[in-house]
């Protein structure tokens, strides 16, 4: 779909953000594909305490999920994203010999993402605004409307909060969890993954449902 067609389909900021969020999250299937490898790694480690076997199972499941996507000719984007994360975690764990290092990249990612979003809010260039730019065809035109900037700031806060919660809970477990750290990290990663994201999405949809902010298309040069 062209930028012009998307603009017609989404004549308000709220509609554009809802549509872009749906694409970004990948729906129920995307959630399951993100959770399965982590569940497999955690269960395997708890039952066998064999790092290599647990890593093989986790990565293999990700590859199988990717193969299914390719066979069905559906978008592999969400599985690839998950596979990259799993592979990085496996690298950290295999290099250190410590199973809990499997979860370190996720903690660092959430910390970095939180910082980036916080900076975007402080500077009044909230990251959600660029979702609107992707629809209008002008990545920065939305910034000229103070009302849109204010709305995008609020929406970006709702994306930031789950990341901060994950770091606040998982980092102490990683540092001080001792022998039970792997099981605790696996459980918290699953419970604080998509459930928190869905809660944030629900809050965003509620906020988006309260207004109808018109999208102002970029002015074409004379």
């Amino acid at each position: 779909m062209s930028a012009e067609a998307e603009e017609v389909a989404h004549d308000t900021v709220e509609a554009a953000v809802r549509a872009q969020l749906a694409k970004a999250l990948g729906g129920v299937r995307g959630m399951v594909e993100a959770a399965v490898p982590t569940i497999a790694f955690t269960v395997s480690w708890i039952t066998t305490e064999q790092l290599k076997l647990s890593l093989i199972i986790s990565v293999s499941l990700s590859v199988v999920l990717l193969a299914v996507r390719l066979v069905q000719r559906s978008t592999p984007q969400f599985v690839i994203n998950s596979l990259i994360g799993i592979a990085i975690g496996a690298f950290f764990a295999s290099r250190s010999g410590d199973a809990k290092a499997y979860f370190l990249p996720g903690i660092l990612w959430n910390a970095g993402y939180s910082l980036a979003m916080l900076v975007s809010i402080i500077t009044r260039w909230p990251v959600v605004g660029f979702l609107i730019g992707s629809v209008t065809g002008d990545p920065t035109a939305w910034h000229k409307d103070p009302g849109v900037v204010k709305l995008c700031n609020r929406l970006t806060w709702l994306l930031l909060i789950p990341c901060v919660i994950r770091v606040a809970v998982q980092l102490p477990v990683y540092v001080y969890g001792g022998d039970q750290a792997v099981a605790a990290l696996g459980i918290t990663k699953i419970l604080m993954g998509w459930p928190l994201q869905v809660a944030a999405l629900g809050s965003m949809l509620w906020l988006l449902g309260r207004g109808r902010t018109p999208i102002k298309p970029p002015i074409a040069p004379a």
Side-chain angles (χ1 to χ4, degrees), residues 110 113-114 117 155-170 192-201 204:
N110 277 281
Y113 201 37
S114 299
M117 286 192 288
L155 293 170
T156 303
W157 272 115
L158 292 175
L159 282 179
L160 183 153
I161 290 171
C163 296
V164 172
I165 293 174
R166 291 180 192 119
V167 175
V169 172
Q170 294 175 359
M192 306 183 80
W194 282 107
L196 268 184
Q197 204 67 30
V198 169
L201 176 60
M204 295 175 78

Side-chain angles (χ1 to χ4, degrees), residues 6-35:
E6 287 197 28
E7 191 177 311
V8 172
H10 309 304
D11 58 347
T12 66
V13 170
E14 290 80 7
V17 174
R18 283 196 298 267
Q20 295 300 90
L21 284 174
K23 291 180 183 178
L25 292 175
V28 174
R29 183 172 180 178
M31 299 177 193
V32 172
E33 289 170 340

Side-chain angles (χ1 to χ4, degrees), residues 17 21 120 125-133 142 151-157 159 204:
V17 174
L21 284 174
S120 80
W125 282 91
V127 295
V128 171
F130 294 98
L131 296 180
I132 300 167
W142 58 271
L151 172 63
C152 291
N153 264 336
R154 292 176 177 174
L155 293 170
T156 303
W157 272 115
L159 282 179
M204 295 175 78

Side-chain angles (χ1 to χ4, degrees), residues 8-161:
V8 172
H10 309 304
D11 58 347
T12 66
V13 170
E14 290 80 7
V17 174
R18 283 196 298 267
Q20 295 300 90
L21 284 174
K23 291 180 183 178
L25 292 175
V28 174
R29 183 172 180 178
M31 299 177 193
V32 172
E33 289 170 340
V36 165
T38 298
I39 294 172
F41 175 84
T42 304
V43 171
S44 177
W45 171 259
I46 291 173
T47 54
T48 68
E49 294 192 0
Q50 294 185 28
L51 176 58
K52 185 176 181 179
L53 175 62
S54 301
L55 291 175
I56 290 173
I57 292 174
S58 178
V59 174
S60 297
L61 276 174
S62 296
V63 172
V64 169
L65 292 171
L66 176 59
V68 170
R69 283 277 193 177
L70 294 175
V71 168
Q72 295 178 340
R73 295 185 179 180
S74 60
T75 176
Q77 171 191 344
F78 307 106
V79 181
I80 291 174
N81 292 343
S82 175
L83 181 57
I84 291 172
I86 295 298
I88 294 173
F91 175 79
F92 272 59
S94 61
R95 291 289 292 179
S96 67
D98 187 347
K100 71 179 182 181
Y102 178 86
F103 300 95
L104 181 58
I107 297 173
L108 296 177
W109 168 259
N110 277 281
Y113 201 37
S114 299
L115 180 60
M117 286 192 288
L118 181 60
V119 170
S120 80
I121 291 170
I122 292 172
T123 59
R124 296 189 62 77
W125 282 91
V127 295
V128 171
F130 294 98
L131 296 180
I132 300 167
S134 68
V135 172
T136 64
D138 187 328
T140 60
W142 58 271
H143 192 259
K144 299 174 184 177
D145 188 329
V148 174
V149 173
K150 184 177 180 180
L151 172 63
C152 291
N153 264 336
R154 292 176 177 174
L155 293 170
T156 303
W157 272 115
L158 292 175
L159 282 179
L160 183 153
I161 290 171

